[in-house]
Amino acid sequence: MPDNVLFADGDGAKIRADLMDKCNLHTVLRLPTGIFYAQGVKTNVLFFTRGTTEHGNTSDVWVYDLRTNMPGFGKTNPLKAEHFADFAAAYAASDRSVVTDERWNKFTREEIAQKGDTLDVGLIRDDSVIGYDDLQDPVESGIEIAAQLEEAADLIMSVVKELQSLEGCNKA
């Protein structure tokens, strides 16, 4: 399923809540971008079984993030079976809670409900995204930029002066 099914409001939220009520949605595998759909579309595989009742069948959802901090996949770098080895080991573990893989996380039904039944849950730090806490102090940043601009202006002025002196030599 594309990502928007996991976090869309309205009917999407109703469908997810109904799925988690009537079925045991036990695992979500977040696939790298562009695997089944057009480039840029994020895809997920949902693993669930029919519940024994009409309500409350999902208690925990395990999510494996095979997307974050992964290389781009496509014709030159195809997604292969070996890319799924760690997921397969985590999925098949007799006790999933002892799996030590940063891509493997459990979310309770209550945690998911608190987020409006969204299954677009953050898992591991995305190294390509700069967090607010990682930003440099704005004053320090401004001082550094001003110093770099001054240095660049000085360099430009020295080039202009050099060109002027060459121009004077050419007139003589």
Side-chain angles (χ1 to χ4, degrees), residues 5-157:
V5 174
L6 298 184
F7 62 85
D9 291 332
D11 288 340
K14 290 176 189 172
I15 291 168
R16 287 188 307 277
D18 194 45
L19 173 69
M20 288 184 280
D21 265 346
K22 293 179 179 168
C23 299
N24 176 18
L25 174 63
H26 53 82
T27 310
V28 175
L29 171 60
R30 295 168 58 101
L31 293 175
T33 304
I35 297 300
F36 293 113
Y37 297 104
Q39 190 62 28
V41 176
K42 298 173 181 174
T43 307
N44 305 274
V45 179
L46 306 182
F47 297 82
F48 58 92
T49 56
R50 178 74 174 132
T52 56
T53 66
E54 289 295 305
H55 298 287
N57 285 290
T58 299
S59 59
D60 298 318
V61 178
W62 288 89
V63 181
Y64 194 88
D65 186 356
L66 190 60
R67 178 181 306 160
T68 309
N69 301 327
M70 292 294 285
F73 292 101
K75 290 181 182 178
T76 58
N77 185 27
L79 185 64
K80 299 177 183 168
E82 56 260 25
H83 291 113
F84 293 96
D86 291 338
F87 165 72
Y91 184 87
S94 59
D95 183 358
R96 291 178 162 191
S97 64
V98 299
V99 174
T100 56
D101 184 335
E102 72 173 345
R103 297 182 181 284
W104 186 242
N105 291 282
K106 178 178 80 169
F107 297 90
T108 66
R109 179 66 184 98
E110 291 77 27
E111 290 172 322
I112 294 167
Q114 288 172 357
K115 294 178 181 245
D117 284 327
T118 182
L119 291 170
D120 186 36
V121 288
L123 298 173
I124 59 177
R125 180 184 170 100
D126 186 343
D127 293 337
S128 69
V129 176
I130 297 175
Y132 180 75
D133 294 337
D134 297 330
L135 295 175
Q136 185 177 4
D137 177 82
V139 173
E140 290 175 22
S141 183
I143 291 169
E144 187 178 316
I145 290 169
Q148 290 172 350
L149 288 172
E150 283 179 28
E151 187 178 331
D154 289 344
L155 181 61
I156 291 170
M157 285 308 297

Side-chain angles (χ1 to χ4, degrees), residues 162-172:
E162 182 72 27
L163 290 172
Q164 286 173 335
S165 70
L166 290 174
E167 190 175 276
C169 290
N170 289 338
K171 288 182 181 181

